Structure formats: structure tokens, C-alpha cells
Amino acid sequence: MRKILVIGSGKSASYLIKYLLDKSDEEQLFVIVGDVNFTNAKKLINHHHNAQAIVLDVKDKKSRQSAIQNADIVVSMLPARMHVEIAKDCISFNKNMVTASYVSEEMQNLDKVAKEKDLIFMNEVGVDPGIDHMSAMKVIDRIREQGGKMLLFESFTGGLVAPESDNNLWNYKFTWNPRNVVLAGQGGAAKFLQEGTFKYIPYNRLFRRTEFLDIEGYGRFEAYANRDSLKYQSVYGLDDAITLYRGTIRKVGFSRAWNIFVQLGMTDDEYTMDGSEHMSYRDFVNAFLPYSPTDSVELKLRHALKIDQDDIVWDKLVELDIFSSTKKVGLKKATPAEILQKILEDSWTLGNDDKDMIVMYHKFGYELHGKKHQIDATMVCLGEDKTYTAMAKTVGLPVAITTLAVLNEKITRPGVQIPIHKDVYGPILQELEQYDIVFNEYEVPYLGYNPLIL
């Protein structure tokens, strides 16, 4: 039996583990799931005869190295900052490795030694990053093979709640790490390219500079810019493109309401608030508003941010119960962002029967034989329940498929890499279609970045 070590059994691991176990007899696989949360690891293997759950704290060097040495390949489903130590152990013990995370500078620095030892460290093979790379390169490569020249590439992804479980005014629930949602867009201005001109959106304007997207069967969405849309410009071979834009999808109206938290300072993670453990939700809101001997917290907030009482944004704030004087924060020395996350988790946590949804939208503009063309490609994936979510499916399945391909020597290119080569992304995308992860392509008129300017 070939041993696969999966480190981490969090929200994105369910489909990954199920896929490997479903293939385990046929492919002679034994799946070892290691996590500090032994209960969750044990739940996901569900007494399978080709699986074992172990307690694994990656900070414990001895047990970590022992587990890695005992495996034929390692899959890390931990946060990106924890991959490097695992990768270094994989180098020491000559093990290939697969992750869904962005390639950090520290990980990239291991490329030379990985190549020297003929090891494969495949990263960014989840949904975003991952399926976005693969589905984009499939179309871009096809356009180039036809002799086309890329002019425009826009890519949008969103983890949302499925229509049948969409029962709050924000049209949103947490489908992945809530902390990342609260901190989204911070750390520098969004940077992108429009019609040959560099554009920048500072954080304080990010959620008021959105654009609309329409997806057949699912209606209208909005998107706000990711922090650096040019990160993959050279990687994708788009150095001559005049428009490059990557963004995050939400339902229309979310961003305008979220901007209230940004303007108040509630998404700040740079300082802690004194006495936060004793604060009520109402105290937390009031901490960002001026003192008044007469005006209520609600009135002060409406005046400060010019929110009319019949504005849907106001109803969204009320729905979160942020003006409650009885609900307590209960977090000691917490940052505003941590407190906001706590408040939002009360309302936005997926229920047992809730379903989530992943939405992806690509736009490809190109010139071929003197004429300009555009292809729009969309993908919508629906989850089954709170455990087998669309997020887990679109992250876990490509990771699992890649892991097996590496193990079976169908992927052989060594080094630290992402799935942008046809021999890698082709078979993965083809197999994902069997699991209803399918892109629908539409040929539309090329209108450049702004469809209002003909």
C-alpha cells in the first residue's frame, strides 16, 4: 500500500479524503490523516479500512518528521505559513508534496534544491488559486495555438451561499476562513491594468469600486478588485495584454454594506481594544462613534455615515444584532477585526443543512486575423451540506487528483510549481468534469474593458 499523509482535516479536507479513500482499493492507497484535532480527522476517515487518523502537531518536530518519513507523498492542508517546515522535511526525506496554497517567497526559495533532488512541490492547486489557473490557461493556450494575441483577461471567484440557503439580507455566509473574509483587501492598494493604464484602488475605496457580472441561471453579482491583479501576468504569458483584472465575487449590495465596517474602522487588525472581553456588541459599535449626551448609538452611526433609516444597508446592520446591549464580545485584548468576526459568525455560520456555492467567471479578449474576439467562461459549483461543501469540493478534488497523478508519475516535472502546464491541467480539468465542475464558454462581442464605450 502506498501511504499518503494528509496534514490537516479542516473545512477543505472532506472531499480530498473521500476521493482518496474511494480510490484506495483500486490504487493501493493507505491514507493517514494527521491533525491536532483528532476527532475531526477520525470523523472524515469514517472507519475506512484503508485509513488511519493520527494526532499530529506540526510544531512538534519529532512527530512531524516521523509522519513525513513514513509517507510516500505528503499533502498539506494547513495555512500557507505552515507549509515551509513541512516542505523542508520533505526535502530531507525525499518526499513529493502537494498544497492548495499560494507559493510564498520561502517556498519558492526551495525550488533549486527540490529540482536537484527531483522532487515535485505542486502548489496553488485548489480553487482560487488552482482551478482559476488551470481553466484560464486552457483557454489562453488554445487562443495562442490558433495564432491569437491576448488583449484582455479578467478573472473573478467567489465563495457564496447557495440560493436555497440564502436567507439573510447580506446574501452571504462564511464558506471558508472567516478571518480572511474580514481582512480581505488589506495590506496595500489593489493594482490592475485597464486599457494599457495602471490603476490603483486604496483600501478605503475598495468596496465602492465594484463591477457587475451576470451568470446565466444565477442572476447578477458584483466584484471588487483583488490586491494584485498583475501577480500572474508573466506566469500566464500576458505581458502584452492591455487589460488584466482579478476580483472577488459577492451578491449585489454586499460591498456597499461592508464598506460601513471599513469606514468605521471595525476591520482593523493592527491594535487591541482595552476591556474587550467585557464589551457588549453595542459597546463595540459605540467605541467608534463620538460621544453624545443625548443621541443613541443607532442615531450617531446613521448621522456619521449618512445612512437613511429606510436604507437596506441599515436593515443589514440591524439584522446582525450589532446594537445588542446583552450579547458580549467575550474576547480578551481583541482587535476590532477579531471582534467583528465574532459578531458575524453569530449570523453567517453555515447551518447543518445549508449549502454553499462557488462561482467563477473568466473573460478572455483577443485578436485573431485582424479581428477582435471575446470568450466568457463561467463555472458554478453547489455544495451538498455543511461538511461536503462546494468550497471543499473545488479545493479538495484538484488537490486529490494531483496527488494521485504525482504518485502515479503522470506529473514528473520537478521543482516548486503551480498547475499552468497543459500536461498538468488538462487531465485534472477533464476529471473534474466528472464531478460537475464544468466551465461553460460563450462567444461575445469584444468591447474592451468598458462595455459602455463602443
Side-chain angles (χ1 to χ4, degrees):
M1 301 292 280
R2 299 177 295 172
K3 295 178 181 176
I4 299 175
L5 174 63
V6 178
I7 304 177
S9 61
K11 291 182 178 180
S12 297
S14 57
Y15 272 101
L16 160 67
I17 293 168
K18 184 179 186 303
Y19 175 95
L20 295 174
L21 292 179
D22 287 347
K23 299 273 187 180
S24 61
D25 286 331
E26 174 191 350
E27 294 283 350
Q28 289 293 291
L29 307 176
F30 190 81
V31 182
I32 304 165
V33 182
D35 200 324
V36 287
N37 186 341
F38 178 75
T39 303
N40 201 50
K42 191 174 180 182
K43 175 187 173 186
L44 289 182
I45 66 171
N46 194 26
H47 306 289
H48 198 283
H49 58 281
N50 287 334
Q52 176 188 8
I54 62 172
V55 176
L56 179 57
D57 183 352
V58 292
K59 296 176 183 177
D60 182 342
K61 183 178 179 180
K62 185 177 180 181
S63 63
R64 184 187 73 228
Q65 290 186 339
S66 175
I68 291 172
Q69 190 172 12
N70 185 48
D72 291 297
I73 188 169
V74 176
V75 179
S76 178
M77 297 299 285
L78 298 175
R81 67 182 183 277
M82 306 176 89
H83 292 324
V84 175
E85 291 305 314
I86 296 169
K88 289 177 179 177
D89 289 340
C90 286
I91 287 172
S92 297
F93 300 117
N94 293 306
K95 309 296 181 182
N96 294 317
M97 178 177 171
V98 179
T99 86
S101 302
Y102 287 106
V103 176
S104 65
E105 185 177 346
E106 294 82 3
M107 180 67 80
Q108 188 60 48
N109 289 339
L110 299 177
D111 180 58
K112 183 179 178 182
V113 65
K115 286 177 178 174
E116 288 172 352
K117 303 195 78 170
D118 202 32
L119 293 175
I120 300 164
F121 285 0
M122 183 67 75
N123 304 267
E124 303 190 20
V125 72
V127 59
D128 179 6
I131 292 176
D132 57 338
H133 295 327
M134 296 185 279
S135 55
M137 288 308 301
K138 178 182 177 181
V139 177
I140 291 171
D141 283 343
R142 190 175 76 225
I143 290 170
R144 289 195 183 117
E145 288 167 2
Q146 294 170 350
K149 177 187 176 183
M150 287 294 299
L151 301 174
L152 172 150
F153 176 65
E154 297 181 43
S155 179
F156 310 91
T157 306
L160 304 165
V161 62
E164 58 263 50
S165 302
D166 186 352
N167 55 12
N168 66 49
L169 293 176
W170 291 76
N171 310 115
Y172 187 80
K173 293 182 183 180
F174 291 126
T175 61
W176 65 311
N177 189 341
R179 178 171 171 79
N180 291 348
V181 175
V182 173
L183 300 181
Q186 299 187 41
K191 177 184 177 182
F192 50 101
L193 190 62
Q194 287 179 349
E195 300 297 328
T197 302
F198 290 106
K199 296 287 188 179
Y200 301 86
I201 307 177
Y203 178 63
N204 68 305
R205 292 293 302 155
L206 183 64
F207 296 97
R208 295 310 295 130
R209 290 267 298 275
T210 58
E211 62 179 76
F212 291 135
L213 305 168
D214 292 293
I215 298 181
E216 188 174 347
Y218 293 90
R220 175 160 281 195
F221 298 84
E222 66 184 18
Y224 63 84
N226 288 356
R227 198 166 62 197
D228 184 3
S229 290
L230 307 185
K231 181 176 181 180
Y232 298 103
Q233 182 173 12
S234 294
V235 174
Y236 285 10
L238 297 175
D239 291 321
D240 295 329
I242 58 174
T243 295
L244 286 172
Y245 185 101
R246 292 169 63 91
T248 298
I249 296 174
R250 294 286 183 262
K251 288 293 286 184
V252 175
F254 177 93
S255 297
R256 186 165 78 93
W258 184 263
N259 194 53
I260 297 297
F261 300 140
V262 175
Q263 297 308 309
L264 284 172
M266 290 181 175
T267 61
D268 199 318
D269 202 42
E270 296 297 316
Y271 67 93
T272 60
M273 302 185 75
D274 294 327
S276 58
E277 68 270 33
H278 304 301
M279 279 183 179
S280 67
Y281 289 3
R282 189 179 188 84
D283 293 334
F284 173 62
V285 176
N286 197 29
F288 297 95
L289 299 170
Y291 171 78
S292 171
T294 56
D295 292 347
S296 66
V297 175
E298 290 88 343
L299 191 59
K300 288 192 295 183
L301 192 150
R302 285 211 303 268
H303 282 320
L305 295 175
K306 299 179 174 59
I307 307 172
D308 294 328
Q309 65 182 22
D310 60 352
D311 191 330
I312 186 63
V313 168
W314 182 251
D315 294 331
K316 290 179 180 180
L317 295 176
V318 171
E319 183 183 66
L320 296 174
D321 211 11
I322 64 172
F323 301 111
S324 172
S325 58
T326 57
K327 289 185 176 179
K328 299 294 183 182
V329 169
L331 302 173
K332 191 173 183 179
K333 284 287 183 181
T335 68
E338 288 171 336
I339 297 172
L340 178 60
Q341 177 183 329
K342 165 73 162 47
I343 293 171
L344 296 177
E345 285 180 320
D346 287 353
S347 301
W348 291 358
T349 298
L350 286 176
N352 290 330
D353 297 322
D354 277 344
K355 297 180 180 180
D356 70 326
M357 174 172 71
I358 296 291
V359 179
M360 193 172 288
Y361 195 127
H362 297 315
K363 298 182 181 183
F364 307 89
Y366 63 101
E367 186 173 328
L368 179 64
H369 305 316
K371 292 184 178 180
K372 292 179 179 177
H373 306 264
Q374 183 168 320
I375 296 171
D376 288 4
T378 63
M379 185 275 291
V380 177
C381 177
L382 299 173
E384 295 178 29
D385 54 35
K386 186 179 180 180
T387 300
Y388 291 94
T389 62
M391 183 67 74
K393 187 175 187 178
T394 51
V395 172
L397 281 180
V399 170
I401 293 167
T402 303
T403 301
L404 192 54
V406 172
L407 203 55
N408 288 336
E409 299 182 359
K410 293 181 179 178
I411 295 175
T412 57
R413 185 181 292 103
V416 175
Q417 59 192 286
I418 65 175
I420 58 170
H421 299 286
K422 185 182 293 188
D423 60 323
V424 173
Y425 69 68
I428 296 172
L429 289 175
Q430 188 173 3
E431 187 167 353
L432 285 175
E433 290 186 0
Q434 300 173 23
Y435 296 89
D436 295 323
I437 300 175
V438 178
F439 281 81
N440 296 306
E441 295 185 13
Y442 308 89
E443 291 194 14
V444 300
Y446 178 84
L447 299 174
Y449 175 73
N450 187 350
L452 299 179
I453 301 176
L454 301 179

